[in-house]
Amino acid sequence: MVERVMIIDPGESATLILIAERILRQVQIREHITIPTKLASSNSLIAETLEELRSQHDPIRVYLIIPQSETVSQRITLDQKTIDEFITTEANQFQKIEGTEPVFDHQPLAETSENTHWLTYCQEPAIKQRLHHLGLNFDDIDDVTSAAQGLWGVFENIRPSNDNTFIIDLGRHHTALMQICDGQPQYATSFSSPLPPNNAIPANEHLKRWFHHLCKAPSNLSGNPQETLQLTTQDHLILIGEKALIEPTSNYLREEIESEVTVVESSADERHMPPEFATALGVARSSLRLTKLQISLLPKAYQHQKKQKFFWNRLRGWTSALALTTIIFLLIGTWQKITLFRIKDDLLKATQAAIAKTSATEDTLAAFAKQYELVRPILRYQQETTELIETFTALQPVAKDPSYWLVLLADFDSYYSKTTIPISTNDPEPVNNVTYSNRFTGNPGFVAEFSFLDQGEAMRSKLLSLVNRLNESKTYLNVDTLAEDIRRPLAKTNVLLADRHIALALELHRNYFTQKLSLGATETASALEKANPSPNTSPSFNDRNGRIEPQREAP
């Protein structure tokens, strides 16, 4: 939350109003107004201006500066008494002499073993008189501070490296002076300025009398007329105040002091703020908690009331910030919801488009399956015929070799579906019919039985050569001998030699044209492959194992 303050500096020739705010650790000037004294003769002008500024920059805290001529600020070191006991004693003495109790405020200085404090006080009637002159009351302000607070803010903003620094606030009627040693304030006082009124440039004689009063300024605070200010080349002078007085005064000081004296003028900021606002800017830095000294001269009777007002103002500010944060989060949440709805709508549209494409694809597949079913039997018989012709071609070299001959050629289904045993006319009575279970439940193929003339190693050599030659053909998936226990006695006995009889299984590739197409959503290619295992590792449409899987016909 941005902290914003309004500083009222009732000067001699004009009332200065400064509005500043803190952003991180930087002070930003929002507005500065100068109301000349001759225009502010009517009390309502300043009050109306303040009311308008408060409404424009609300929430804002208002601070009133009491001139240094009406306050006392000094560093005190106590031996035995506490600071509260010292203030009580001083207040009783003022009560007896002046008839009123002053307004005190103090703050401990450096963390040392000494009981050292920065003490500031003024008379309460002086504060009320200043408010009355401005047409204000205590309800119109939040706090009261001294001009010394503003001078200290100027010092902390510049932070010169010199051990001894004097801040001089030039005025045509009064000049304020503050001494700072080793980074700690020593005292702040004021003295009459014998300078020409209005905007006249002071002559050398005016500056000479002014310099004499400057050197006597410490005696005004201590009451010792012998105590004077001795400026040396090691001192650092900071001049602020009316712009017309700074240049001639700085030139005079350089001539009066033998060595050159560094004079720092209050420079204008980006809003072209005149140097007269330096004290108000120093108080703004203090009120925004950017300086270590925080002096308040608000009477005790109003402090509790102002604390409550400050608390409620801060609470209102935090509530406004919380409400704004809540609104931002609601806006972000609403934006996210709208974004999610848009994404959902886009996904729904994409899903509907995908469903439409899927339906079109299924319709195309159904039409394809219908047309495919018309030509499937032809393709089936065509493949079977081709495989049969290629088998005859592969077995044709057998007829040219007299050492072995073909005695039987049958497909798997015919081979195992026969239940009768053919016999020759020279054989005895046929044996009982025997039913054999089909050991080939996978791919189709042929059974070729051979009878060899040779025996032993010569027969095995011929058989191995025949198997290798048939395995080289792309027509067969696998060529291997049949075991004795799964052979069928279908060959005629008059054309074979019993002890030199060999049966080969010529396993063909799967004929996918024997099965109907399956377009069911639950039947996947992987499930069909598990049900019908095949050694093929890279199935394709040309291998009759594509996107559309076949479905076995019912037996």
Side-chain angles (χ1 to χ4, degrees):
M1 185 179 65
V2 177
E3 294 184 75
R4 190 176 296 112
V5 295
M6 179 192 301
I7 310 300
I8 305 174
D9 185 5
E12 298 172 343
S13 58
T15 298
L16 308 178
I17 302 175
L18 177 69
I19 296 179
E21 64 182 27
R22 174 181 175 178
I23 301 178
L24 298 179
R25 291 197 60 82
Q26 298 294 327
V27 176
Q28 299 292 333
I29 306 302
R30 292 304 174 206
E31 198 166 348
H32 59 84
I33 299 174
T34 301
I35 303 178
T37 304
K38 58 182 179 180
L39 296 179
S41 56
S42 174
N43 295 342
S44 60
L45 177 60
I46 297 178
E48 292 174 358
T49 303
L50 294 179
E51 184 64 26
E52 182 179 356
L53 292 175
R54 185 191 291 271
S55 62
Q56 291 178 359
H57 300 280
D58 189 65
I60 191 171
R61 290 179 287 128
V62 182
Y63 287 77
L64 174 66
I65 300 177
I66 301 300
Q68 190 59 41
S69 60
E70 299 176 5
T71 64
V72 176
S73 300
Q74 61 183 357
R75 170 179 175 151
I76 60 171
T77 300
L78 304 175
D79 295 331
Q80 297 179 352
K81 287 185 178 181
T82 64
I83 184 64
D84 293 331
E85 293 174 347
F86 175 81
I87 290 177
T88 300
T89 303
E90 293 294 319
N92 292 334
Q93 291 180 358
F94 274 103
Q95 180 73 25
K96 293 178 182 179
I97 297 174
E98 302 291 340
T100 58
E101 181 179 344
V103 179
F104 285 90
D105 195 12
H106 62 88
Q107 184 172 341
L109 292 178
E111 296 180 359
T112 61
S113 58
E114 298 179 347
N115 189 8
T116 305
H117 298 266
W118 177 252
L119 180 64
T120 301
Y121 62 91
C122 71
Q123 295 292 337
E124 184 175 343
I127 301 175
K128 293 181 178 180
Q129 183 179 358
R130 187 63 59 178
L131 288 172
H132 177 73
H133 180 72
L134 297 174
L136 305 175
N137 53 50
F138 282 106
D139 293 333
D140 298 322
I141 61 174
D142 293 278
D143 206 346
V144 180
T145 188
S146 66
Q149 184 73 72
L151 300 181
W152 176 257
V154 173
F155 169 79
E156 285 206 350
N157 189 36
I158 298 175
R159 277 289 176 181
S161 58
N162 299 62
D163 295 335
N164 197 28
T165 303
F166 292 92
I167 303 177
I168 303 173
D169 186 5
L170 293 170
R172 294 187 179 272
H173 300 286
H174 289 87
T175 295
L177 174 66
M178 185 176 190
Q179 182 182 10
I180 300 172
C181 295
D182 298 329
Q184 298 293 334
Q186 300 300 309
Y187 63 83
T189 186
S190 65
F191 58 91
S192 299
S193 300
L195 298 176
N198 302 327
N199 294 326
I201 298 177
N204 192 59
E205 58 182 14
H206 295 125
L207 294 174
K208 186 176 182 179
R209 289 198 301 270
W210 174 86
F211 184 71
H212 176 74
H213 285 75
L214 175 66
C215 294
K216 291 290 185 179
S219 63
N220 297 335
L221 184 64
S222 63
N224 183 7
Q226 302 299 324
E227 185 176 355
T228 59
L229 181 63
Q230 300 294 331
L231 296 176
T232 66
T233 57
Q234 303 298 324
D235 298 330
H236 189 102
L237 298 183
I238 300 177
L239 293 184
I240 61 175
E242 290 191 29
K243 187 175 182 180
L245 299 177
I246 291 179
E247 184 175 356
T249 304
S250 61
N251 293 334
Y252 178 82
L253 289 174
R254 291 189 179 95
E255 294 175 359
E256 184 67 23
I257 303 176
E258 296 181 1
S259 299
E260 183 179 357
V261 177
T262 302
V263 178
V264 180
E265 299 180 3
S266 177
S267 59
D269 70 345
E270 67 277 4
R271 287 180 172 267
H272 306 288
M273 185 182 69
E276 290 87 348
F277 284 84
T279 301
L281 180 58
V283 172
R285 290 178 55 82
S286 172
S287 60
L288 293 172
R289 298 186 303 282
L290 295 176
T291 62
K292 63 182 181 180
L293 288 183
Q294 305 288 332
I295 298 299
S296 174
L297 296 178
L298 189 67
K300 292 183 179 180
Y302 301 95
Q303 286 182 1
H304 180 68
Q305 178 183 354
K306 295 303 177 183
K307 287 181 180 179
Q308 287 185 334
K309 180 180 179 181
F310 175 73
F311 170 77
W312 287 111
N313 287 338
R314 292 293 296 271
L315 182 61
R316 182 178 61 178
W318 283 110
T319 304
S320 301
L322 180 60
L324 179 61
T325 304
T326 304
I327 292 174
I328 292 175
F329 278 116
L330 289 175
L331 291 176
I332 294 175
T334 303
W335 175 78
Q336 289 180 339
K337 291 292 185 182
I338 294 175
T339 303
L340 290 176
F341 282 136
R342 290 178 178 175
I343 294 174
K344 179 181 177 181
D345 185 60
D346 294 340
L347 291 176
L348 287 175
K349 291 180 180 179
T351 303
Q352 292 173 354
I355 292 174
K357 291 181 179 179
T358 303
S359 299
T361 303
E362 291 178 350
D363 293 341
T364 303
L365 289 175
F368 171 78
K370 185 176 181 181
Q371 296 177 2
Y372 170 78
E373 196 59 31
L374 296 177
V375 299
R376 184 181 62 80
I378 300 174
L379 297 176
R380 171 188 174 183
Y381 295 135
Q382 180 183 5
Q383 180 176 338
E384 291 176 352
T385 303
T386 301
E387 292 170 346
L388 180 59
I389 294 174
E390 290 176 352
T391 299
F392 286 150
T393 303
L395 296 177
Q396 187 175 4
V398 176
K400 298 179 181 180
D401 191 345
S403 62
Y404 64 98
W405 55 91
L406 179 68
V407 298
L408 177 67
L409 179 64
D411 61 272
F412 285 167
D413 292 336
S414 300
Y415 188 77
Y416 285 102
S417 62
K418 293 291 185 180
T419 57
T420 61
I421 303 176
I423 59 174
S424 64
T425 56
N426 299 327
D427 289 337
E429 294 182 0
V431 298
N432 296 333
N433 294 340
V434 181
T435 302
Y436 295 85
S437 61
N438 190 355
R439 300 298 181 93
F440 297 93
T441 59
N443 299 334
F446 299 97
V447 174
E449 296 185 1
F450 300 89
S451 186
F452 288 84
L453 184 62
D454 300 325
Q455 292 181 339
E457 189 63 32
M459 183 187 70
R460 285 191 292 270
S461 178
K462 289 287 184 178
L463 175 62
L464 180 61
S465 176
L466 175 61
V467 171
N468 290 338
R469 181 168 58 80
L470 293 175
N471 272 326
E472 292 176 357
S473 175
K474 296 182 179 180
T475 305
Y476 308 110
L477 179 63
N478 186 36
V479 177
D480 200 357
T481 58
L482 284 178
E484 292 288 344
D485 58 337
I486 62 173
R487 287 188 191 178
R488 298 296 306 274
L490 300 180
K492 293 183 178 182
T493 58
N494 56 358
V495 295
L496 57 84
L497 300 177
D499 55 344
R500 283 165 280 182
H501 179 210
I502 300 299
L504 296 180
L506 309 180
E507 185 179 2
L508 298 171
H509 295 281
R510 290 181 63 186
N511 187 350
Y512 286 95
F513 296 118
T514 61
Q515 303 168 0
K516 292 183 179 180
L517 291 181
S518 174
L519 299 180
T522 59
E523 186 174 9
T524 62
S526 59
L528 288 172
E529 283 297 319
K530 290 180 180 179
N532 302 283
S534 174
N536 293 336
T537 57
S538 301
S540 64
F541 184 80
N542 294 330
D543 295 330
R544 302 180 296 277
N545 185 16
R547 162 67 177 86
I548 305 175
E549 291 296 334
Q551 183 179 13
R552 295 183 180 274
E553 291 181 343

